[in-house]
Amino acid sequence: MSGSLRMPPGTYEDTLPYVPRQRRAPSWAGPDPVDELAARLDDFIAAAVHPDEIAALLESDGMSDDQIRERYGCRNSFALAEELFERVERRHPEPAGPVHDPWQIGLLGCLLRGVVFALPGLGYVLGAPLLAGPHDGLGLPAGTIPLLAGALCGWTWNQGLAHRAYSWLGLGDRAAARRSLLVGAPVGALLGSVVALAAAGTAHPGGVAFAAGQSCYLAAATVLLVLGRERALLGALLPMAAGAVLALVHPVPDLARLALLLGSLAAVALLALLEVAPAVRELGEGSWAAGWAALLPFGMFGSDPAHRPRSAAPWLAGSLPYALFGLGSGVLVLYAALGDVLAGTHTAVAAPAAVALTLSMGPAEWLLHRFRSGSLAGLRSSSTSRDFWRTTARTLVQCLTGYLAALFALGLATSALWPHAPGVGGSRLAGLLLLGVVLWTGLLLQSFGAVLSAAVVCCLAALALTVTLAADAGSPHRVGLIVYGAAAAVLAGLVCGLLGRATAHR
């Protein structure tokens, strides 16, 4: 088109050639039927992302290819759908009203759960007379070995049991969740007691009895926490907590200590039994096989055993990584509490570190929900995968920083308030924060559905720490820093690898 138009002879050069006008439709002609159909289906066509959606609508309206050829002049529904898709401009309106966010959660409820997690630790103050005696061969206070063995067994079993019950709740079968807890909680209490007895050796019988009570409490508390009865659990623990605080500042008779411990344990066990009472009544009409079926892979016995398909039952092996994560993280937390004893620099267990980590689980849960809420908002606002990764990475840094700040404050507060606690040094504080990163990123990977990766990393870190300390290869604090740092780096890398995947945030 760089040259001039060819002009006919006898015309002036500045005269443009005649361009005939396009013929208009005659006045007697009717409107285009395709335009009419586009106007009628305007909202649906504008929101469609592919012509096949429009073709599906046309076919659902009963339009055959013969009718489409006769009325609209297109060969079939797909050709008509493509024509409609081209004629209507794309419009994707935002949903009316506020966007639903399933990750919204109240801060007070999360803080309450953190307090409920930590309050049982005051029971060790009241149970001190049961743990009296000389130190064992490892330099640990009397009764520590059976307590630790029972606690690890309980954490492992109850993590898997809680996931099993939550799986049933996710399927909408609360009765099956109750049945799994009805059978699984006593089994967990029995296992914890047997493990504590096996690890007791020459320990005082009082320490073994205390460890058995600890196992029973962990089982009953799991029932209440899974079924959302945190407030009831808090009420049952308050008398024991008040007695423990009084024992810190004033001598309390041993009989009163024992009464407070047994009273709180009985109250928690009774509340747990009331929660699973409907399952007890159901099993009374049939047999305990339904309870085992809800706990084991034969979970086809749901609310209606005769009609629930076998494929609807949660996969039993899916609960195993959660149990392993409970074991690995529990070992890491115990080493953080026993570091000074193992190093020989202090004769008391560093309870403030364990208490700070336990209390921090409340803010950790809330910040995890904040991250998932922020990632959901980023998924709606981002147009590319790179933008989405940057948005979620920014939210991740903010939430992780907030959690570490809360853990830092709790670590300083518990060390300052706990009697005869070792001072907070740089290595202790760094190890506590690195362990916090391990726990928080592990929980985040669980929410991403990558619980197996988190469980493997935590178990390997726990194994490496155990082997290194058993071989006396270095100071427990220095070894802990290295192991915690390596585990934190690996877990952070796994999290960063999943940040940009939209499917991980579902």
Side-chain angles (χ1 to χ4, degrees):
M1 299 299 291
S2 59
S4 60
L5 293 173
R6 182 174 179 177
M7 308 295 288
T11 58
Y12 297 99
E13 294 182 0
D14 57 348
T15 301
L16 294 175
Y18 172 74
V19 178
R21 296 181 180 178
Q22 296 181 352
R23 288 188 289 180
R24 298 178 179 177
S27 58
W28 49 265
D32 187 355
V34 178
D35 288 338
E36 287 186 332
L37 183 62
R40 182 161 61 89
L41 303 177
D42 180 74
D43 292 337
F44 181 86
I45 299 173
V49 297
H50 194 275
D52 287 353
E53 295 183 49
I54 307 172
L57 177 65
L58 297 176
E59 293 177 355
S60 67
D61 285 344
M63 290 188 185
S64 64
D65 290 343
D66 293 337
Q67 293 174 338
I68 290 173
R69 279 193 293 269
E70 179 181 352
R71 188 178 306 173
Y72 301 104
C74 298
R75 64 182 181 275
N76 52 36
S77 60
F78 293 99
L80 178 58
E82 292 177 358
E83 182 69 22
L84 294 171
F85 189 80
E86 292 177 359
R87 294 195 184 193
V88 179
E89 184 180 358
R90 305 271 71 73
R91 298 191 309 274
H92 301 287
E94 292 292 331
V99 179
H100 174 64
D101 187 356
W103 296 103
Q104 287 291 342
I105 190 173
L107 176 60
L108 183 60
C110 293
L111 294 179
L112 176 63
R113 289 175 69 88
V115 172
V116 169
F117 291 155
L119 274 183
L122 293 173
Y124 297 103
V125 177
L126 292 176
L130 298 175
L131 305 176
H135 287 55
D136 58 19
L138 298 177
L140 297 174
T144 303
I145 295 298
L147 280 177
L148 297 183
L152 287 177
C153 179
W155 289 343
T156 304
W157 176 268
N158 290 316
Q159 282 283 334
L161 175 63
H163 176 263
R164 182 72 176 169
Y166 277 126
S167 299
W168 281 116
L169 291 175
L171 292 174
D173 199 339
R174 194 172 182 86
R178 283 195 175 106
R179 282 196 289 271
S180 65
L181 292 171
L182 172 64
V183 176
V187 172
L190 180 61
L191 285 176
S193 302
V194 170
V195 169
L197 180 62
T202 59
H204 191 273
V208 179
F210 190 84
Q214 172 187 258
S215 299
C216 294
Y217 168 79
L218 290 175
T222 300
V223 174
L224 295 176
L225 290 172
V226 169
L227 298 179
R229 297 300 308 275
E230 294 89 353
R231 295 180 184 275
L233 179 58
L234 176 64
L237 292 175
L238 282 179
M240 180 272 298
V245 172
L246 178 63
L248 290 173
V249 296
H250 189 274
V252 175
D254 292 348
L255 187 60
R257 291 170 178 259
L258 184 60
L260 286 171
L261 287 173
L262 292 178
S264 291
L265 177 60
V268 173
L270 179 61
L271 288 172
L273 182 59
L274 291 176
E275 284 300 312
V276 296
V280 175
R281 288 193 294 269
E282 292 173 6
L283 292 176
E285 299 172 1
S287 67
W288 283 84
W292 286 105
L295 179 66
L296 297 175
F298 314 105
M300 51 187 170
F301 298 97
S303 298
D304 189 356
H307 296 93
R308 176 173 293 276
R310 182 184 181 88
S311 59
W315 190 35
L316 180 65
S319 300
L320 181 60
Y322 291 87
L324 293 177
F325 180 79
L327 174 62
S329 59
V331 172
L332 295 177
V333 171
L334 289 181
Y335 274 126
L338 297 174
D340 290 311
V341 177
L342 296 175
T345 58
H346 207 273
T347 58
V349 177
V355 172
L357 285 168
T358 307
L359 286 172
S360 71
M361 290 297 102
E365 182 181 1
W366 184 74
L367 288 168
L368 281 171
H369 281 79
R370 289 284 296 176
F371 170 78
R372 297 306 301 268
S373 178
S375 64
L376 188 63
L379 191 60
R380 290 193 302 267
S381 62
S382 302
S383 57
T384 64
S385 58
R386 184 180 295 274
D387 291 340
F388 176 61
W389 190 92
R390 290 174 179 172
T391 302
T392 53
R394 190 182 308 114
T395 307
L396 173 65
V397 171
Q398 294 172 354
C399 293
L400 182 56
T401 302
Y403 170 67
L404 292 180
L407 181 58
F408 178 81
L410 289 171
L412 293 179
T414 53
S415 297
L417 297 175
W418 199 270
H420 312 296
V424 181
S427 60
R428 292 191 184 91
L429 198 54
L432 180 66
L433 295 179
L434 286 175
L435 181 54
V437 174
V438 171
L439 296 179
W440 197 83
T441 51
L443 293 173
L444 181 57
L445 286 173
Q446 282 193 29
S447 70
F448 281 167
V451 60
L452 183 59
S453 302
V456 169
V457 172
C458 287
C459 287
L460 289 178
L463 180 62
L465 198 54
T466 302
V467 172
T468 305
L469 294 179
D472 198 16
S475 169
H477 291 299
R478 187 179 301 109
V479 173
L481 277 176
I482 296 173
V483 173
Y484 297 154
V490 173
L491 291 174
L494 292 173
V495 169
C496 291
L498 293 173
L499 280 183
R501 295 185 184 179
T503 55
H505 299 266
R506 61 179 182 268

